[in-house]
Amino acid sequence: MQGEFRGDVSRDTFDQTKRFSRVLMQQGRVQLDADWNEQNDILLHYLRSLAADLIGPHGGSGTQPGFAVITKDTEVDELKDANGVAINLQPDLQGALKESLRASGFLIGIGRYYVDGLLCESDQYLGFTEQAGYPFTGAMSFDDIRDATGSFLVFLDVWERHVSCSEDGDICEVALGGPDTATRGQLVAAVVVPPPETGGEKLYDKQQLIDDAKKLKDAVDNNDTAGIQTARQVLNVFAENVRARLNGLSTARLRARARITGLPEGDCNIQPEAQYRGPENQLYRVEIQRGGIAWNGATDGGGNAKTAATFKWSRDNSSISYQILSLQGDTVALAHLGRDTSRGLQVDDWVEIVADDLVLQGQPGPLRRVKSINPDELPSP
């Protein structure tokens, strides 16, 4: 499963290099979540690969490609729906869109667009700064763009997030009293403007972008069909090179092992110090909480513990969540304390407070430690 999935899954068995075409159920066998999820991944891999082969790395409808960048008031007067049919806007809505354009720098159009075979859909015209999760981590804000000079590349950032019934109550099974059953994967598409230089590494040459864009504009002004095609190809290659650099900014890898017990290797040689000796599957999840340089090990005044990189981990794939009803200072009202005692909230547990905006921005939530729990204040079922 590619994406930000925190579900309560036993394991992820999909491996595209094995070239499996389907999952075959057998009679009298135990049904597992891993088999069901692998079947979905096999089908999704096929469909998305097919779309990418037919469409290319990115593309949209010839009449109304989604997520088009709208920069002029005159373009607002000629807006179309997702099928490419002209829209007769009411004067108040037309004025509101023009005001949004001026306040956000540009509007984002409606329609469908494909990125690496992933279907991205935009259902309404909205301003750049009106996107859910704006401003985005590692990207330029509207103020950054306005204060800078020159031209910038605009990208459609696409990824898949995990949604449980804690984030979307409609997923809960109301007929059974509201328990969570299956969860969902949701495709997120956001229009972002990456800075020309990030982390001390140059992503692209602004002057080259200006020159290549001018060649396209001149070809359009002169109605030069061959020149337009050539200029677009050059800009596409330019953008793909930048996308490759963005995808390759981090080459970090994780190496982990269980605690060494001092005994010979073997399934039976598991000491309590190894922390886990249960029979069920454990899908461990490790995430960077704060990026930076590794801790230098010093605990005195010369140490960098306050700024060093930190990580967090969960042996349940970070799938255990508690819906927050209210948050006032250090007091939190929860909808429940967990499904059972083994996975319920306990004093001294570490928890991360997350919200949709933080997830969409790619930001970690603050970590807090549980001081006390009052079960009597839980809402009635």
Side-chain angles (χ1 to χ4, degrees):
M1 293 178 288
Q2 293 183 352
E4 189 258 353
F5 291 102
R6 302 173 182 270
D8 184 14
V9 297
S10 57
R11 56 190 183 128
D12 180 11
T13 58
F14 175 67
D15 183 352
Q16 68 181 63
T17 63
K18 292 186 176 181
R19 305 293 183 260
F20 290 149
S21 60
R22 68 179 74 181
V23 174
L24 300 174
M25 293 289 128
Q26 300 187 90
Q27 60 181 342
R29 267 64 166 190
V30 176
Q31 298 291 302
L32 297 176
D33 62 287
D35 295 328
W36 171 277
N37 292 332
E38 183 175 350
Q39 175 59 57
N40 286 334
D41 287 335
I42 290 172
L43 182 58
L44 275 178
H45 174 67
Y46 168 77
L47 293 175
R48 290 171 175 175
S49 298
L50 177 64
D53 290 340
L54 295 177
I55 300 171
H58 52 82
S61 168
T63 56
Q64 183 63 21
F67 300 90
V69 174
I70 300 166
T71 60
K72 300 177 182 177
D73 281 359
T74 54
E75 296 178 273
V76 178
D77 299 330
E78 302 173 353
L79 294 181
K80 300 178 181 179
D81 62 18
N83 297 316
V85 179
I87 302 175
N88 185 19
L89 294 175
Q90 296 296 325
D92 55 342
L93 178 57
Q94 190 177 53
L97 287 175
K98 290 183 178 180
E99 177 60 30
S100 179
L101 186 152
R102 288 187 285 270
S104 296
F106 59 86
L107 293 180
I108 300 167
I110 63 175
R112 294 181 295 276
Y113 201 80
Y114 292 85
V115 177
D116 291 334
L118 302 174
L119 172 60
C120 310
E121 296 180 286
S122 175
D123 301 321
Q124 62 177 338
Y125 289 96
L126 77 164
F128 169 60
T129 61
E130 297 171 345
Q131 298 180 93
Y134 173 89
F136 304 104
T137 303
M140 301 179 70
S141 66
F142 176 50
D143 291 336
D144 295 332
I145 299 171
R146 184 170 49 190
D147 294 340
T149 57
S151 299
F152 302 94
L153 280 177
V154 178
F155 275 85
L156 187 61
D157 185 24
V158 183
W159 58 285
E160 204 167 3
R161 66 174 291 201
H162 178 256
V163 179
S164 70
C165 67
S166 294
E167 291 89 11
D168 189 337
D170 292 339
I171 298 176
C172 298
E173 182 47 68
V174 294
L176 299 178
D180 70 319
T181 54
T183 59
R184 304 292 187 270
Q186 182 185 60
L187 199 70
V188 178
V191 175
V192 300
V193 182
E197 184 174 319
T198 180
E201 181 173 340
K202 188 174 184 180
L203 290 178
Y204 63 89
D205 189 317
K206 290 176 61 176
Q207 188 58 50
Q208 181 183 347
L209 175 62
I210 294 173
D211 295 341
D212 292 343
K214 184 177 184 304
K215 291 178 182 178
L216 176 60
K217 181 180 182 304
D218 293 342
V220 171
D221 293 342
N222 296 327
N223 199 24
D224 181 1
T225 303
I228 293 174
Q229 184 176 2
T230 300
R232 283 178 173 172
Q233 289 176 346
V234 171
L235 283 172
N236 278 336
V237 171
F238 184 90
E240 284 300 312
N241 288 336
V242 176
R243 184 167 77 139
R245 295 191 190 101
L246 285 171
N247 291 335
L249 279 180
S250 176
T251 58
R253 295 293 184 269
L254 174 69
R255 185 172 62 183
R257 66 181 179 186
R259 288 190 177 182
I260 299 175
T261 64
L263 294 176
E265 293 185 2
D267 294 337
C268 297
N269 294 331
I270 303 176
Q271 294 293 311
E273 291 78 8
Q275 297 294 313
Y276 177 69
R277 297 189 296 171
E280 68 271 13
N281 281 321
Q282 295 289 344
L283 181 57
Y284 283 78
R285 183 181 189 90
V286 181
E287 293 184 358
I288 298 297
Q289 173 71 7
R290 180 178 65 203
I293 301 174
W295 179 44
N296 59 15
T299 57
D300 54 15
N304 65 337
K306 293 184 178 181
T307 59
T310 60
F311 69 89
K312 59 200 174 195
W313 64 274
S314 165
R315 63 165 54 98
D316 296 289
N317 191 33
S318 187
S319 63
I320 300 176
S321 62
Y322 312 93
Q323 186 178 9
I324 295 177
L325 301 179
S326 66
L327 176 61
Q328 297 180 349
D330 292 336
T331 304
V332 182
L334 302 177
H336 59 85
L337 293 177
R339 295 186 309 183
D340 50 46
T341 56
S342 66
R343 295 191 174 191
L345 194 64
Q346 304 290 336
V347 174
D348 288 334
D349 282 349
W350 283 97
V351 295
E352 180 183 7
I353 301 174
V354 297
D356 279 348
D357 281 347
L358 289 174
V359 173
L360 295 175
Q361 291 171 0
Q363 293 276 19
L367 293 177
R368 296 292 184 267
R369 200 163 194 172
V370 179
K371 295 180 179 178
S372 62
I373 299 175
N374 189 352
D376 295 335
E377 295 186 1
L378 286 174
S380 301

